[in-house]
Amino acid sequence: MTVAAEASAHRSRRRPRRVSRVLRGATPYLLILPVVVVITAILGYPLYRLVVLSFQQYGLPELIQRKGVWIGLDNFESVLGDEIFWRTLLRTVVFTAANVALTIGLGTLIALLLVRVSSWVRVLLTAALVLAWSMPAVVAVQVWFWMTNFQNGILNYVLTELRLGDFAQHDWYATSFSKLAMVTLLIVWGAIPFVTITVYAGLAQVPRELVEAAEIDGAGPLRVFRDVTFPILKPIFLILTSLSIIWDFGVFTQPYLLIGAPHIDTTNYLMGVYVYIEAFGESDFGRGAAISLLMLLIVAVLSVFYVRRMVQMGATR
Amino acid sequence: VSTTADHGRPAAPAPRAATKRRARRRRIRRSAWNVVGLAVFAVVVFPVFWMISTAFKPDDQINSFTPTWFSTEPTLQHFRDAIARPYFWDVVKNSLIVVGAVVLLSMVVAFLAAVALAKYRFTGNKLFVVLIIGILMLPQVGLVIPLYVVLARYGLTNELLGLVLTHLVILLPFAVWTLRGFILGVPKELEEAAMVDGSSRLGAFTRILLPLVAPGLVATSVFIFITSWNEYIFANVILTDQSNQTLTIWLSYFYGTSRNVDWGGLMAASTLTAVPVVIFFLLVQRRIAFGMTAGAVKA
């Protein structure tokens, strides 16, 4: 080793103390830098563009010229003054409420059922739930098509065989309500497994002594659930409900594909579909951006609870 | 699945007849619940069963008014038809390219940030978490317009790269959050012990932390694989040429507009699209499922 090298080795052993402390302090920032860059570039910039777009007239000509025309609040005025917007919003709220209630309600009932059945039934049922959960949305839509088609769909056959009425050739996509009811069935079927499996895992944490004590005191299953199980599982229910609300409010793939583009109109719009059609069907990106922005704001408000909860848990690690 | 939530625990000493009677009543009640459980099982599993059953059925059985539950003469014809459809192999290739790139890029980038969140306390830590979870909650359909307009501006529409970037940004927050959980799951003492034994911080990291987090890395990448593979809305908007689309979009156009739908072919194509997802999902479901609600009860 040369003298110079030795000297520099000496120096580098002493000096880097401070350097390394600075480096240690910078490390977390260096580590999150790539994520921050990617998110800023691919999401931050588009979100900024979204806000700008919502104040512009931006149709196909503008898309080609890559330049919008500033029109101030016109887009928002036009959207908020549009009856279709308010009807769609109301329909989406009702749709979300129905979907969330059904998902959480049925999901919880199945979780409670899982506790009461023999283990082989439990294994079968859990396997079926995981299978349903894993189905891609587009695949599930195609299967729903096939099961509910009016000519030889299995649903009509089964309902007729069960003597629930004559469902031969019954068209499940005849009215707006029945269309959205089919979408609800599809979404609830796909969403129940997550709820059931999460609640079931939570049930395992309910102290059995409490349940038994309540039962000895003469509480029926309903009382036990209301006064013992539910209070303990309340945090889980809150999180599941808020997640479901956020997901169902912004749903797009299922209604868009199951109702089918040619049959989508203002009588069966949900917010997600509305935003999409306004931009890509009507080629009015400015107005679409205004609706998008309003929708994002609504969801942001809805998410506050979930985000706060997760941050709290992130902080108390 | 744990079976600890079982109520069949031996009761306290009681007169024999009463015990017997109670045991019998419990058995009857359990059988009743089993019947309900099997009914729910049938309803939940039916769509999946019906998809597979139809995919293997000859056409005359599919189109008959009285359904055939199990075909006694299964056929592979529908699978052959589905694969022979235009662009099948193109879209499979596209899906694999997009998914591969998204998994690779997001895992590397997200892992670094997850280490920062799990191992360091730094100013802005909380803000970063809010950012990550906030993005996780944004409805994708609300982002379609701005992403499309920006990608169009840079000539990235109808390009796989455009879709890769889009999937990257919608999946990064999920990846960061889940990986952070997996890293936190590794006891700090293990790494500290290695460092006491003379290992450098990096050495402790690669020799102790990485192997222990590996299952979490696999689970997260598989989940990203599935989400990217299934993603519909961005792929539909960004990729316009038929030869440029992904398998999911290809399947969504399969139905067509004709009155005579090829149900057998549609179900075979659906099965082909779902199979990789289902297999992977079954492998990792339990590791990922609780990430979204982690700690809700313990807190």
Side-chain angles (χ1 to χ4, degrees), chain A residues 4 8 27 36 77 122 132 135 143 146 183 211 218 222 235 263 266 272:
Chain A
S8 89
T27 312
V36 173
E77 264 170 38
R122 179 156 49 231
M135 289 302 265
V143 177
W146 163 223
V183 176
V211 176
L222 219 67
H263 306 287
T266 54

Side-chain angles (χ1 to χ4, degrees), chain A residues 29 118 142 146 189 205 317, chain B residues 2 34 44 54 117 123 251 297:
Chain A
Y29 297 103
S118 309
Q142 307 290 18
W146 163 223
W189 175 76
Q205 300 190 26
R317 45 190 173 164
Chain B
S2 87
N34 282 348
V44 172
T54 307
L117 280 182
T123 339
L251 179 66
V297 152

Side-chain angles (χ1 to χ4, degrees), chain A residues 29 42 46 66 115-118 134 136 138 142 146 151-152 189 200 205 208 235 279-280 306 310 313-314 317, chain B residues 2 4-5 30 34 44 54 62 65 117 123 133 141 144-147 153 180 230 248 251 281 292 294 296-297:
Chain A
Y29 297 103
I42 313 179
R66 300 176 182 181
V115 179
R116 285 166 175 74
V117 294
S118 309
S134 69
V138 176
Q142 307 290 18
W146 163 223
Q151 280 173 317
N152 54 353
W189 175 76
Y200 177 69
Q205 300 190 26
R208 202 185 303 158
F280 294 96
Y306 178 80
M310 290 310 260
M313 279 171 339
R317 45 190 173 164
Chain B
S2 87
T4 46
R30 172 142 301 188
N34 282 348
V44 172
T54 307
I62 292 175
F65 283 100
L117 280 182
T123 339
I133 301 177
V141 72
V144 166
I145 295 171
L147 274 164
R153 170 174 281 217
R180 171 194 159 277
N230 290 349
T248 306
L251 179 66
F281 191 87
M292 298 295 282
V297 152

Side-chain angles (χ1 to χ4, degrees), chain A residues 39-107:
Chain A
I39 287 179
T40 313
I42 313 179
L43 193 67
Y45 177 61
L47 279 178
Y48 158 77
R49 292 283 311 156
L50 178 69
V51 176
V52 173
L53 269 179
S54 66
F55 292 105
Q56 287 181 330
Q57 182 182 329
Y58 207 98
L60 272 187
E62 287 82 9
L63 186 69
I64 292 162
Q65 289 165 10
R66 300 176 182 181
K67 201 167 159 46
V69 181
W70 189 266
I71 50 170
L73 286 171
D74 282 11
N75 285 325
F76 288 97
E77 264 170 38
S78 129
V79 169
L80 293 176
D82 192 345
E83 208 187 331
I84 294 171
F85 172 80
W86 293 105
R87 274 210 213 122
T88 305
L89 184 60
L90 181 68
R91 186 181 302 117
T92 312
V93 169
V94 173
F95 175 86
T96 305
N99 276 263
V100 172
L102 282 170
T103 307
I104 303 279
L106 292 173

Side-chain angles (χ1 to χ4, degrees), chain B residues 168-251:
Chain B
L168 187 62
V169 83
I170 58 173
L171 282 166
L172 264 182
F174 168 79
V176 172
W177 190 245
T178 336
L179 286 176
R180 171 194 159 277
F182 283 122
I183 296 172
L184 281 177
V186 175
K188 223 186 263 166
E189 293 74 24
L190 284 177
E191 256 182 295
E192 281 165 5
M195 265 148 73
V196 168
D197 290 349
S199 227
S200 66
R201 199 177 175 107
L202 193 71
F205 176 81
T206 49
R207 254 167 291 148
I208 309 291
L209 185 65
L210 215 52
L212 286 172
V213 183
L217 287 173
V218 173
T220 313
S221 7
V222 168
F223 216 78
I224 291 175
F225 178 108
I226 294 172
T227 318
S228 173
W229 179 274
N230 290 349
E231 199 278 318
Y232 171 75
I233 178 161
F234 289 111
N236 187 41
V237 166
I238 293 172
L239 304 174
T240 39
D241 280 358
Q242 280 191 303
S243 63
N244 229 352
Q245 283 161 346
T246 61
L247 187 58
T248 306
I249 308 303
W250 176 85
L251 179 66

